[in-house]
Amino acid sequence: GGGGGGGGGGSGGGGERSPEDFKDDVAALQRAVSEAARPNPKPNPNPNPNAEAALGFVLDRVTALLPPLDYGDAHKLVYRAERAALEQHIALLAVRHQALYALGVRLAARGDREGAVRELRRALAAADDYELVDAAYRERRGLCELRGTDFGPNAHGTGRFPHDEERGKTLVQLIQASLELGDAAEVCELFGALIQVVTNFDGGNDVIEGMRATHRKRFQAYMSDDGSGGVDAAALRAAYEALGDCEASLDAGRRHYKRQRVSDAIAAFKRAVLRARLDGRDELEARALFNCAWVLRHVGRHQEARVFLRPCCRLWHILERRESRELGPKRTERRKNYNQVLYDTAKNLMQCQRWAAAKSCCAHVRGLARTKQAVELCRKLEAPQP
């Protein structure tokens, strides 16, 4: 996610508010969301007609409380933004996501699937914004640790918000609504997004591979559905076939890039990523992700490149660790690829103004210090930050 515009207007109340007042406000909003999100008792489909209005009020209040902040400028976000503003955005964006998610689920439950899709998409955008601001804040803490100064606690903090898990939950709801709307191409895209999200989860490689396989099999089951599940399997198969062959898309992407047709190249590589992902061809998916990130980095779209580098890194790690007797020299090649992606991730983090994160990424690279480019990069990372 490229992060939308910054927050809305002023402080939503006269005078300076203390961190304690702010935390009380956020706690009240969280309670309102929990209240409105409570499922309806079965016989009565809508016993709480005020729930949607309550969630609308929460969303308006969040917008009023958000201090101005420009998400588009990574340098400003890490080095210039007021710390209090970052902390407030982190707390409020979590509430915004939860309120939009609850609203989407409510709309789906009463049959307004278009409305549900709209609000759930907004919930995903809020999670993207959250991740961006949270990363800038963690970078600030990391820089303090590097300099040996005390960063102190988050005065406005209201607890951890697991944005990847929340994204996963939202995508599951979006898939359901899109299946019911019969939007086959959208369902393919959403399953790809869900598999990407679980690839980014914390956890051992076996757990991640298991989750990826579960979602892939669910997609394949929908494609072979006999109609009893109410899914238009034929439309889904047609949308899947329309993605074309994975290797052909990779070749097309390279050709487009040679001719400087950047957006065509990115579209072809994304198609290759999606097809490989739905087919369970991990190595091809990793290569396609790498190509997406490579093109985006070359045209200076570093924040977008991160979105592809993160799952790419995890996949090469999985591939490199996958013990298999017939691998032999292939394992060495996979290790080389994993190191290359780690190296690119460290460079990309620097380009996103995240020096502390780049440093810790460099520490992970086995065998990297033996290459000239790596020695150069590590030396750069030892230099004083801007």
Side-chain angles (χ1 to χ4, degrees):
S11 64
E16 279 301 299
R17 294 174 64 69
S18 72
E20 281 64 40
D21 290 339
F22 174 82
K23 283 198 233 192
D24 289 345
D25 280 346
V26 171
L29 293 173
Q30 283 167 332
R31 277 195 303 278
V33 172
S34 304
E35 187 67 35
R38 237 189 256 143
N40 299 329
K42 275 289 174 277
N44 186 352
N46 198 14
N48 184 1
N50 301 325
E52 285 170 35
L55 289 166
F57 169 78
V58 168
L59 290 164
D60 290 345
R61 188 82 186 112
V62 165
T63 302
L65 285 169
L66 278 170
L69 199 61
D70 176 12
Y71 298 163
D73 186 333
H75 190 273
K76 259 193 200 152
L77 216 49
V78 174
Y79 296 102
R80 301 243 167 80
E82 271 184 51
R83 177 171 168 173
L86 289 175
E87 291 177 352
Q88 288 169 358
H89 273 253
I90 287 168
L92 289 165
L93 287 170
V95 176
R96 176 180 279 175
H97 168 86
Q98 285 154 337
L100 288 165
Y101 173 79
L103 187 53
V105 171
R106 274 211 162 273
L107 291 171
R110 70 168 172 78
D112 179 0
R113 294 182 189 92
E114 284 94 345
V117 166
R118 183 186 64 241
E119 300 309 330
L120 291 166
R121 286 217 161 275
R122 288 178 67 205
L124 284 179
D128 290 345
D129 289 345
Y130 175 93
E131 184 178 6
L132 208 61
V133 181
D134 182 59
Y137 189 73
R138 281 185 294 116
E139 175 63 18
R140 214 172 258 203
R141 180 189 292 125
L143 289 172
C144 269
E145 283 164 11
L146 289 179
R147 295 180 184 130
T149 52
D150 183 31
F151 188 68
N154 176 345
H156 299 85
T158 54
R160 184 176 168 268
F161 176 69
H163 55 84
D164 282 325
E165 286 82 349
E166 290 291 334
R167 263 198 203 104
K169 262 172 50 182
T170 308
L171 284 163
V172 168
Q173 294 287 342
L174 261 171
I175 286 168
Q176 198 46 51
S178 299
L179 279 167
E180 288 165 11
L181 284 168
D183 193 340
E186 192 61 23
V187 171
C188 291
E189 289 283 348
L190 289 167
F191 264 103
L194 182 57
I195 293 168
Q196 171 149 316
V197 164
V198 301
T199 309
N200 291 336
F201 279 7
D202 289 333
N205 286 348
D206 295 352
V207 177
I208 302 302
E209 288 190 83
M211 285 195 283
R212 282 168 59 86
T214 300
H215 294 309
R216 187 170 64 245
K217 283 174 190 152
R218 219 179 112 222
F219 172 76
Q220 286 161 354
Y222 280 134
M223 275 206 304
S224 55
D225 191 75
D226 56 5
S228 58
V231 173
D232 187 347
L236 210 49
R237 277 196 298 277
Y240 162 79
E241 291 299 342
L243 292 170
D245 177 69
C246 182
E247 280 104 331
S249 293
L250 277 170
D251 289 342
R254 291 187 195 104
R255 280 198 307 278
H256 286 313
Y257 187 67
K258 270 187 189 142
R259 294 181 190 136
Q260 302 294 299
R261 298 211 298 257
V262 171
S263 53
D264 291 340
I266 291 168
F269 289 142
K270 278 184 178 173
R271 244 190 345 271
V273 168
L274 184 53
R275 180 67 193 244
R277 203 169 261 169
L278 296 175
D279 289 348
R281 301 176 72 186
D282 297 345
E283 190 153 346
L284 271 177
E285 182 190 337
R287 290 182 189 285
L289 283 165
F290 184 78
N291 285 349
C292 277
W294 196 85
V295 172
L296 286 164
R297 286 182 57 225
H298 272 252
V299 293
R301 286 155 65 179
H302 302 298
Q303 200 62 55
E304 279 174 82
R306 281 221 36 68
V307 176
F308 296 95
L309 277 171
R310 207 174 151 211
C312 180
C313 218
R314 170 54 77 97
L315 269 184
W316 278 119
H317 187 248
I318 287 172
L319 287 162
E320 186 255 338
R321 289 288 172 93
R322 210 177 263 167
E323 287 294 357
S324 148
R325 272 184 295 279
E326 69 272 16
L327 263 184
K330 201 152 195 214
R331 182 139 197 252
T332 317
E333 186 205 336
R334 284 176 170 182
R335 174 169 290 185
K336 226 170 70 186
N337 286 336
Y338 176 49
N339 278 345
Q340 181 61 47
V341 177
L342 272 175
Y343 171 78
D344 278 30
T345 300
K347 281 197 78 160
N348 170 253
L349 283 163
M350 285 163 67
Q351 285 153 336
C352 292
Q353 302 299 324
R354 291 177 57 194
W355 290 76
K359 231 171 190 166
S360 74
C361 180
C362 252
H364 284 294
V365 186
R366 287 156 308 141
L368 194 65
R370 286 199 287 279
T371 70
K372 214 169 100 182
Q373 53 178 167
V375 172
E376 204 42 55
L377 180 71
C378 292
R379 200 173 293 139
K380 246 191 206 153
L381 285 168
E382 289 310 320
Q385 276 78 45

